Amino acid sequence: MRAGLAVLIHLVPLLGGLLIGLFGFRLRERSWKLGVPAVAIAFLLSLWTLYTVSNDGMARLVLFEPNHSLPSSFRVSLLIDRLSAVMMVLVTGVSLIVHVYSIRYMQGERGYARFFALLGIITATLLFMVSSANLLMLFMCWQLVSWLLYLLLAYNYTYRPSVDLAFKSFLVFRLGDIAFLSGVLLACATYGTLELPDLFARAAVSTPSFPLWPGGPEIGAPAAISLLLFVGAIAKSAQFPLHVWLPDTMDSPTPVSALMHAGIVNAAGFLINRLAPLYGLAPSTLHVAFVIGGLTAILGAAMMLTQSDVKKMLGFSTMGQMGYMTMECGLGAFALAIFHLIAHGIFKATLFLYAGRGIHEARHDPKSPTGHEAVHDIDPFPRLSWFTGVSLTLIVPLVILLASHGVLHIPLQDQQGAVIFLFFAWVTSSQAILSLYRLKAVGTRKVAAIMILALSLVMFTYLWAAETFTYYLYPAPGVASRYFQAAAFPLWLFNLFVGTVAVLLIVGWVVVYTNARGQRLRMMARVAAWSPRLYVWLWNRLLVDDLYATVRLKAMRTMRRANAALPDWLL
Amino acid sequence: MMLSSVVAVLPLAGAGLGLLLWSRPRALKGAGILVTAVTVMASVAGLGEEGGAANRVATFAALGAFATMLGQRPDRQGPVPLTLTLALLGLSLGALSGQGLPALLCLAGTLGVVGAMLLKAGRADDPAPWGAAATMGIGLVALVASVAVSEPTATALRAVTCATLLPLFPLHGAFVGAVSYLPGTLPAFVAIVLPCLGWYEMASLDAASFAGFVPTMALTGALYGTMRAVTESHAGRAVAYLTMSLLGVAWWHPAVKDGTMHAPQGYVSAVAVAMAGLLLAGYFIRVRCGHLDLNRLRGLARPMPRLGALVGLLITAAIGMPLFGVFSEFMEMMMTAASRGASGVGLVLLVWLSVSALLVRFMQGLLFGQPPIGRLLQEDVRPQEAATLILILSLLIVLNVTVGTADPVQGPAASGAVRSP
């Protein structure tokens, strides 16, 4: 019964998508009548599956058993556990919102039926991906998502820039797919299986290693496999240096952006969680993930500040958030990353769909959006907000640290998970509080109250919700803490991170204070001299896109020259 | 029971009938479809019996001929490709079903007919078909000479013939030329039949001594094909080079897997069928828009939505997406290669990446973008043409389902049909 329902979740949107694809030329603007109910049914069934999986445990379904002449890796099987159930709810939920929104948003478009067909098929593919019990099947869905996303991005296929940017995305996805496939092949060659439970069991008992090149340094199999799979993940999750596709995909219809930013870019977080036992055996990969994620988070946020287009800003914001999520994975907080991606997914889908509505309105009403009238009588230095901000971001954390260390004698270095949650709670709330400080049009008391509310909310989220969620996804005793231990950094390095963040916060508040007083710090003047250059660099996305374009152009030119040098009769 | 020789005679008789119906292309097409349909049924009936490899290849050849017959327009240029398709089908079935000298003569006939067509296609300002005909000539001479010399020279000479059929650098020119320059839907048929014949011949060779340098040639060829396709503006040639790249992997795989030359039949068939589908789609566009210059033609999806959807699906299959044969066969091949620690896996993946990127670029260049004003009223594919492409897609899905059922060693060597002229 449960197995049948789980299969239905996958098949209903697939069937809906295929039927629209086949009969779209007749259905046209009635296509949603097939697509929306299909996804709604899948969403309800996903909720039911989440409920049953939470109570009765996981289920494994074999849909196709290969014959004797095929490797057993060709088995098509589903693994319905808590992770896949949560992801199925997220995928179908976001897809349902996007479907419903698109009913009117896409009205009058030539490719209305095509759009709904692709939406249904990509939803089904994502569902198969999040519930696959086999690495080959996971890869199969992974690359199919790349292809379907390309087709959705090139939805407006008569508009050249949109098509070119879709192709750019496809190239990056394909690069990631190839790395992913290399990881799959290496896993198959090393452990002789691609069935996830068997693969994890074999990887846990045997960790062979091989040289990176003949006579070169050795690398462990789990590290090599997880690194290759991670490259696949960073391509889809727009992590530096494979982030170049994401900010350029804003020419696609808003519902596609919403689906992409709320669902598909979260692939890295899901993948690392799905393969957590493997990543748990590869601390070096987790450290790489932390560095890549950190870099992406900083660059995404910095580049976002230089944008003036609302959708592009949201694009870079997604990049930063994905970096944040990867960083969490890099610290072993796998479940936190899932929590983050769910929250981000819902949040970003709302923002994108609202942005689409705003842009629509602005096109029809030149006065829209309203609310940008000049605000008079603004206090240049809201003292209360400043003091509240400093207290909440610096003094409160310091008091917590001293109290836990000095009074309660909690050995924080042994509580890796708690420290990480606290660290993220601190950084997140500080970021929110600094943003709130910029609210000039609201009364300072209100701002201070919102700051306290933000801190409470973030603390609650990290210290209760995320903690609970961690033990929901990884209920077996010691599993979650083992991942934290695997990702543990040397204490000095962690202290350095904390120190750097603290210094940045102090400098930030000091700058805010001196600016408001009309004073200038001598050091800040030097930094200020650099800021236009930095702005231009960030505005130009650190010229990474140009670098890739140059490499591509040079390669093409070389090949063209080589071809021209060949005689005419030679084929 | 081996593939019946009668099956081979049927298309040859059809080709003879074609000469009689030369002035009536519509009737010729009808007769051709009938003949190939009967041939398909006869070869399907033989599937699962002894000599299964020959039957499988014959079935593919017959299905390929049926599809190309269906797609060919019965216009003034029609009789040449229609008659030649039947003749080549008969000859290749003869090569598959016969033994000894008759089989050899049929194979030589196949090479000779394609070579002659290439000679005819050459022009002073475009001598490439002559280069291709010369390469085909090398294959033909090697085949004939292999009868006169003793082992191991005979095997080496037969390997040369195989390399002209199933393209291997530097003897790929024959295949590329045939796929690029033959008239009508013939290139699509040739794209299926030549590699399948090459595979069948290759499976009969005990050529372990060549396995040392074959992977190098195969990978060089795969990279060369990709490099040539990058700058190619002629659609037929671009597809031919990309096919060559993908088929290079079929040479590499057995050599690195177990030091033999028993290429995976499923993979060869899947690639050949997918590319034949693209060539057929190219033909349908060519009859409407003239010469297919990839740098000029664009935006066809708007005026030809049915063609756009079908080409999109064909590209999906050709770039190795799931549910189509190329994906499953490629995966099976790569997994066996990787589990044996084969060298060159990275290069093969690079080739796969490049080929898929080029095919997608090819698709979006042709279908996407703003259509030129004059093309807005372009006629979409007719039902018969659409049926041809749907047949090709169905074949690719069948190949995906039957992955692993074709044992690569079930060539003539294994089935006791090693040629002994």
Side-chain angles (χ1 to χ4, degrees):
Chain A
M1 170 71 178
R2 196 151 61 107
L5 284 182
V7 176
L8 265 185
I9 298 172
H10 300 76
L11 292 186
V12 171
L14 180 67
L15 202 66
L18 289 177
L19 284 175
I20 298 170
L22 284 173
F23 302 108
F25 64 97
R26 278 185 194 277
L27 291 167
R28 292 176 195 270
E29 296 214 346
R30 285 174 295 141
S31 301
W32 67 268
K33 289 185 179 173
L34 254 178
V36 174
V39 180
I41 291 170
F43 177 61
L44 292 174
L45 290 176
S46 301
L47 283 175
W48 174 250
T49 305
L50 181 66
Y51 174 74
T52 50
V53 164
S54 303
N55 292 320
D56 306 340
M58 58 175 247
R60 203 168 153 195
L61 295 162
V62 178
L63 300 180
F64 168 74
E65 191 68 52
N67 59 28
H68 66 280
S69 55
L70 269 181
S72 62
S73 315
F74 273 76
R75 185 178 294 140
V76 177
S77 49
L78 301 180
L79 181 68
I80 313 292
D81 61 355
R82 289 181 173 186
L83 175 64
S84 53
V86 165
M87 291 306 293
M88 285 197 293
V89 171
L90 178 71
V91 168
T92 49
V94 170
S95 178
L96 181 62
I97 294 169
V98 170
H99 267 82
V100 172
Y101 180 87
S102 309
I103 296 172
R104 286 190 61 200
Y105 188 85
M106 300 299 286
Q107 229 165 27
E109 292 275 340
R110 278 180 89 100
Y112 193 86
R114 176 165 47 96
F115 177 80
F116 273 94
L118 285 171
L119 219 53
I121 295 171
I122 203 168
T123 305
T125 312
L126 283 167
L127 288 169
F128 273 110
M129 189 179 94
V130 297
S131 55
S132 50
N134 178 297
L135 200 52
L136 181 65
M137 187 181 156
L138 184 57
F139 169 69
M140 197 169 98
C141 300
W142 188 271
Q143 67 157 351
L144 203 54
V145 167
S146 305
W147 178 238
L148 292 168
L149 190 55
Y150 161 77
L151 294 176
L152 275 172
L153 290 173
Y155 167 79
N156 189 6
Y157 61 78
T158 50
Y159 183 53
R160 201 73 228 176
S162 157
V163 172
D164 288 342
L165 294 171
F167 185 63
K168 182 178 168 183
S169 308
F170 177 74
L171 280 182
V172 177
F173 295 155
R174 211 66 184 133
L175 208 66
D177 291 348
I178 294 296
F180 195 118
L181 177 58
S182 307
V184 173
L185 293 176
L186 193 60
C188 183
T190 313
Y191 299 116
T193 181
L194 291 177
E195 281 292 301
L196 293 178
D198 303 343
L199 179 73
F200 299 150
R202 288 185 200 180
V205 291
S206 122
T207 46
S209 58
F210 22 75
L212 278 171
W213 56 84
E218 298 251 314
I219 182 168
I225 295 166
S226 55
L227 258 178
L228 286 166
L229 296 174
F230 180 66
V231 175
I234 65 170
K236 209 149 273 166
S237 286
Q239 300 292 294
F240 183 84
L242 298 179
H243 64 282
V244 289
W245 66 273
L246 186 68
D248 287 329
T249 50
M250 300 306 160
D251 283 322
S252 57
T254 297
V256 176
S257 303
L259 181 73
M260 196 166 67
H261 288 254
I264 296 163
V265 287
N266 297 321
F270 161 73
L271 186 77
I272 294 176
N273 270 275
R274 174 48 80 221
L275 305 176
L278 193 68
Y279 277 89
L281 296 171
S284 46
T285 308
L286 292 176
H287 295 162
V288 170
F290 177 78
V291 174
I292 297 271
L295 212 57
T296 309
I298 294 167
L299 289 176
M303 287 177 192
M304 183 187 77
L305 295 174
T306 63
Q307 301 302 313
S308 53
D309 180 299
V310 64
K311 276 181 87 179
K312 279 206 168 140
M313 281 175 88
L314 289 176
F316 278 109
S317 148
T318 300
M319 182 186 153
Q321 289 297 322
M322 290 301 106
Y324 217 51
M325 183 195 70
T326 309
M327 213 159 85
E328 286 160 355
C329 291
L331 287 169
F334 296 154
L336 182 61
I338 294 289
F339 188 81
H340 189 154
L341 69 85
I342 293 170
H344 172 256
I346 295 165
F347 175 65
K348 207 41 83 66
T350 316
L351 282 182
F352 262 104
L353 298 179
Y354 195 79
R357 184 172 158 257
I359 293 166
H360 239 38
E361 271 178 9
R363 278 185 193 146
H364 292 106
D365 178 12
K367 285 181 185 167
S368 180
T370 52
H372 280 256
E373 296 81 14
V375 180
H376 302 289
D377 305 327
I378 291 173
D379 183 2
F381 180 62
R383 206 176 288 266
L384 183 64
S385 306
W386 190 87
F387 276 115
T388 315
V390 171
S391 313
L392 295 181
T393 55
L394 292 168
I395 298 169
V396 170
L398 192 70
V399 169
I400 292 174
L401 188 72
L402 290 176
S404 57
H405 229 346
V407 182
L408 298 172
H409 302 290
I410 299 170
L412 280 178
Q413 63 272 24
D414 298 337
Q415 304 290 322
Q416 197 80 27
V419 170
I420 287 166
F421 284 175
L422 276 172
F423 177 71
F424 274 102
W426 180 39
V427 175
T428 312
S429 54
S430 302
Q431 203 181 356
I433 287 166
L434 271 167
S435 303
L436 287 170
Y437 179 80
R438 292 165 67 194
L439 286 176
K440 302 281 186 196
V442 186
T444 51
R445 283 187 188 180
K446 266 189 190 170
V447 171
I450 296 171
M451 280 177 173
I452 294 167
L453 192 71
L455 181 80
S456 318
L457 194 71
V458 171
M459 282 297 186
F460 166 79
T461 305
Y462 275 97
L463 294 185
W464 184 80
E467 183 87 1
T468 310
F469 193 66
T470 298
Y471 290 100
Y472 173 75
L473 281 188
Y474 298 100
V479 173
S481 53
R482 200 171 63 233
Y483 297 145
F484 284 119
Q485 292 300 333
F489 278 90
L491 195 61
W492 66 266
L493 196 59
F494 193 75
N495 288 341
L496 186 71
F497 289 138
V498 176
T500 312
V501 174
V503 168
L504 283 174
L505 277 173
I506 293 167
V507 170
W509 286 118
V510 169
V511 170
V512 166
Y513 179 83
T514 50
N515 277 358
R517 298 257 157 177
Q519 297 163 347
R520 280 276 177 269
L521 290 174
R522 199 176 296 169
M523 191 186 74
M524 293 319 292
R526 282 189 196 164
V527 175
W530 273 91
S531 68
R533 281 187 216 175
L534 190 66
Y535 184 91
V536 172
W537 269 79
L538 289 170
W539 190 67
N540 283 314
R541 304 175 193 182
L542 299 180
L543 301 176
V544 178
D545 297 61
D546 301 75
L547 177 75
Y548 291 161
T550 310
V551 169
R552 202 175 136 195
L553 212 69
K554 288 215 163 151
M556 289 287 281
R557 207 173 288 160
T558 311
M559 280 192 253
R560 208 162 279 151
R561 265 191 219 138
N563 275 339
L566 295 170
D568 288 344
W569 53 267
L570 186 71
L571 283 170
Chain B
M1 192 187 80
M2 287 290 293
L3 184 67
S4 168
S5 304
V6 181
V7 177
V9 175
L10 212 80
L12 285 174
L17 187 71
L19 294 174
L20 294 175
L21 296 171
W22 196 267
S23 55
R24 292 164 58 201
R26 202 169 287 276
L28 175 53
K29 181 178 170 174
I33 289 174
L34 194 70
V35 168
T36 48
V38 173
T39 315
V40 169
M41 284 189 271
S43 31
V44 167
L47 283 175
E49 292 177 7
E50 203 187 324
N55 276 326
R56 253 194 309 273
V57 176
T59 308
F60 270 107
L63 277 167
F66 179 74
T68 49
M69 283 277 167
L70 204 63
Q72 176 65 47
R73 280 209 172 179
D75 51 17
R76 268 196 304 172
Q77 285 81 37
V80 179
L82 286 170
T83 313
L84 279 175
T85 301
L86 286 170
L88 283 173
L89 176 65
L91 288 169
S92 45
L93 292 183
L96 290 167
S97 61
Q99 287 186 41
L101 198 60
L104 217 130
L105 283 175
C106 284
L107 188 60
T110 309
L111 291 164
V113 169
V114 176
M117 285 305 294
L118 284 169
L119 269 180
K120 194 169 169 275
R123 293 193 316 263
D125 59 334
D126 187 6
W130 291 335
T135 318
M136 199 59 99
I138 293 172
L140 184 60
V141 170
L143 181 68
V144 174
S146 70
V147 182
V149 296
S150 58
E151 292 294 341
T153 319
T155 304
L157 289 169
R158 293 292 282 273
V160 168
T161 309
C162 290
T164 55
L165 294 166
L166 180 63
L168 177 70
F169 185 83
L171 295 166
H172 59 277
F175 175 83
V176 174
V179 168
S180 315
Y181 291 101
L182 295 188
T185 53
L186 200 53
F189 177 60
V190 161
I192 294 176
V193 85
L194 291 189
C196 285
L197 273 179
W199 169 82
Y200 187 72
E201 287 299 310
M202 199 166 117
S204 72
L205 297 178
D206 180 19
S209 47
F210 310 118
F213 77 91
V214 162
T216 314
M217 303 315 287
L219 291 179
T220 309
L223 290 171
Y224 176 81
T226 312
M227 185 198 82
R228 292 299 301 253
V230 166
T231 52
E232 192 54 72
S233 62
H234 183 286
R237 270 202 302 266
V239 173
Y241 282 124
L242 292 175
T243 315
M244 173 200 164
S245 284
L246 289 176
L247 292 178
V249 181
W251 280 94
W252 164 84
H253 176 254
V256 294
K257 191 187 86 180
D258 47 19
T260 65
M261 287 172 76
H262 302 143
Q265 190 222 334
Y267 176 73
V268 173
S269 314
V271 168
V273 170
M275 294 306 187
L278 288 177
L279 289 164
L280 277 170
Y283 167 75
F284 299 148
I285 300 171
R286 204 165 59 232
V287 292
R288 288 163 173 81
C289 311
H291 170 62
L292 270 182
D293 187 342
L294 293 174
N295 295 329
R296 291 191 175 179
L297 214 52
R298 62 176 192 278
L300 291 180
R302 174 63 59 91
M304 304 168 79
R306 246 181 307 177
L307 178 93
L310 289 167
V311 170
L313 284 170
L314 280 169
I315 292 285
T316 308
I319 62 172
M321 285 293 153
L323 306 183
F324 296 103
V326 180
F327 169 78
S328 43
E329 297 290 349
F330 183 77
M331 284 302 142
E332 192 203 0
M333 210 167 66
M334 292 310 288
M335 261 181 227
T336 48
S339 58
R340 284 172 170 79
S343 57
V345 173
L347 266 181
V348 171
L349 291 179
L350 180 73
V351 167
W352 200 47
L353 167 76
S354 316
V355 170
S356 57
L358 287 169
L359 280 170
V360 174
R361 196 188 69 170
F362 166 77
M363 175 192 80
Q364 71 175 30
L366 209 60
L367 301 179
F368 296 172
Q370 200 67 45
I373 304 297
R375 302 226 186 273
L376 276 172
L377 296 172
Q378 200 63 259
E379 177 208 15
D380 202 350
V381 278
R382 295 172 183 179
Q384 214 169 51
E385 293 168 330
T388 310
L389 297 181
I390 291 168
L391 177 68
I392 294 281
L393 286 166
S394 313
L395 255 179
L396 286 164
I397 292 172
V398 169
L399 274 167
N400 180 54
V401 177
T402 58
V403 61
T405 52
D407 183 358
V409 198
Q410 271 189 346
S415 58
V418 180
R419 299 179 198 296
S420 47

